Coordinates of all heavy atoms in Angstrom, one line a residue:
H147 N 28.0 -63.5 43.8 CA 26.7 -63.9 44.4 C 26.9 -64.3 45.8 O 26.1 -64.0 46.7 CB 26.1 -65.0 43.6 CG 24.7 -65.4 44.0 ND1 23.6 -64.6 43.7 CD2 24.3 -66.4 44.8 CE1 22.6 -65.2 44.3 NE2 22.9 -66.2 45.0
G148 N 28.0 -65.1 46.1 CA 28.2 -65.6 47.4 C 28.5 -64.4 48.4 O 28.0 -64.4 49.5
R149 N 29.2 -63.4 47.9 CA 29.4 -62.2 48.8 C 28.1 -61.5 49.1 O 27.8 -61.1 50.2 CB 30.3 -61.2 48.1 CG 30.4 -59.9 48.8 CD 31.7 -59.3 48.8 NE 32.3 -59.1 47.5 CZ 33.6 -59.0 47.3 NH1 34.4 -58.9 48.3 NH2 34.1 -58.9 46.1
G150 N 27.2 -61.5 48.1 CA 25.9 -60.9 48.3 C 25.1 -61.7 49.3 O 24.5 -61.1 50.2
E151 N 25.1 -63.0 49.2 CA 24.4 -63.9 50.2 C 24.9 -63.5 51.6 O 24.0 -63.5 52.5 CB 24.7 -65.3 49.9 CG 24.0 -65.9 48.8 CD 24.3 -67.4 48.6 OE1 25.4 -67.9 49.1 OE2 23.5 -68.1 47.9
A152 N 26.2 -63.4 51.8 CA 26.7 -63.1 53.1 C 26.1 -61.8 53.7 O 25.7 -61.8 54.9 CB 28.2 -63.1 53.1
F153 N 26.1 -60.8 52.9 CA 25.5 -59.5 53.3 C 24.0 -59.6 53.5 O 23.5 -58.9 54.4 CB 25.9 -58.4 52.4 CG 27.3 -57.9 52.7 CD1 28.4 -58.3 51.9 CD2 27.5 -57.0 53.7 CE1 29.6 -57.8 52.2 CE2 28.8 -56.5 54.0 CZ 29.9 -56.9 53.2
D154 N 23.3 -60.4 52.7 CA 21.9 -60.6 52.9 C 21.6 -61.2 54.3 O 20.6 -60.8 55.0 CB 21.3 -61.4 51.8 CG 19.8 -61.1 51.5 OD1 19.4 -60.0 52.0 OD2 19.1 -61.9 50.9
Y155 N 22.4 -62.1 54.7 CA 22.3 -62.7 56.0 C 22.3 -61.6 57.1 O 21.6 -61.6 58.0 CB 23.5 -63.7 56.3 CG 23.1 -65.0 56.7 CD1 23.2 -66.1 55.8 CD2 22.7 -65.3 58.0 CE1 22.9 -67.4 56.2 CE2 22.4 -66.5 58.4 CZ 22.5 -67.6 57.5 OH 22.2 -68.9 57.9
L156 N 23.3 -60.7 56.9 CA 23.5 -59.6 57.9 C 22.3 -58.7 58.0 O 22.0 -58.2 59.1 CB 24.7 -58.8 57.6 CG 26.1 -59.6 57.7 CD1 27.2 -58.7 57.3 CD2 26.2 -60.2 59.1
I157 N 21.6 -58.5 56.9 CA 20.4 -57.6 57.0 C 19.1 -58.4 57.2 O 18.0 -57.8 57.2 CB 20.2 -56.6 55.8 CG1 20.0 -57.4 54.5 CG2 21.5 -55.7 55.6 CD1 19.4 -56.5 53.4
G158 N 19.2 -59.7 57.5 CA 18.0 -60.5 57.8 C 17.2 -61.0 56.6 O 16.1 -61.4 56.8
E159 N 17.8 -60.9 55.4 CA 17.2 -61.4 54.2 C 15.8 -60.8 54.0 O 14.9 -61.5 53.5 CB 17.1 -63.0 54.2 CG 18.5 -63.6 54.1 CD 18.6 -65.1 54.2 OE1 18.0 -65.6 55.2 OE2 19.1 -65.7 53.3
K160 N 15.6 -59.6 54.4 CA 14.4 -58.9 54.1 C 14.7 -57.5 53.6 O 15.7 -56.9 53.9 CB 13.6 -58.7 55.5 CG 12.8 -60.0 55.8 CD 11.7 -59.6 56.8 CE 12.1 -59.5 58.2 NZ 12.0 -60.5 59.2
T161 N 13.7 -56.9 53.0 CA 13.8 -55.5 52.6 C 13.6 -54.6 53.8 O 12.5 -54.6 54.4 CB 12.8 -55.1 51.5 OG1 13.0 -55.9 50.4 CG2 12.8 -53.6 51.1
Q162 N 14.7 -54.0 54.3 CA 14.6 -53.2 55.5 C 14.2 -51.7 55.2 O 14.3 -51.4 54.0 CB 16.0 -53.2 56.2 CG 16.4 -54.7 56.6 CD 15.5 -55.3 57.7 OE1 14.6 -54.7 58.2 NE2 15.6 -56.6 57.9
P163 N 13.8 -51.0 56.2 CA 13.3 -49.6 55.9 C 14.2 -48.7 55.1 O 13.8 -48.0 54.2 CB 13.1 -49.0 57.3 CG 12.8 -50.2 58.2 CD 13.6 -51.3 57.6

Side-chain angles (χ1 to χ4, degrees):
H147 184 78
R149 171 144 50 201
E151 282 181 340
F153 277 98
D154 206 15
Y155 232 107
L156 296 179
I157 65 163
E159 294 176 304
K160 275 203 279 263
T161 299
Q162 299 296 351

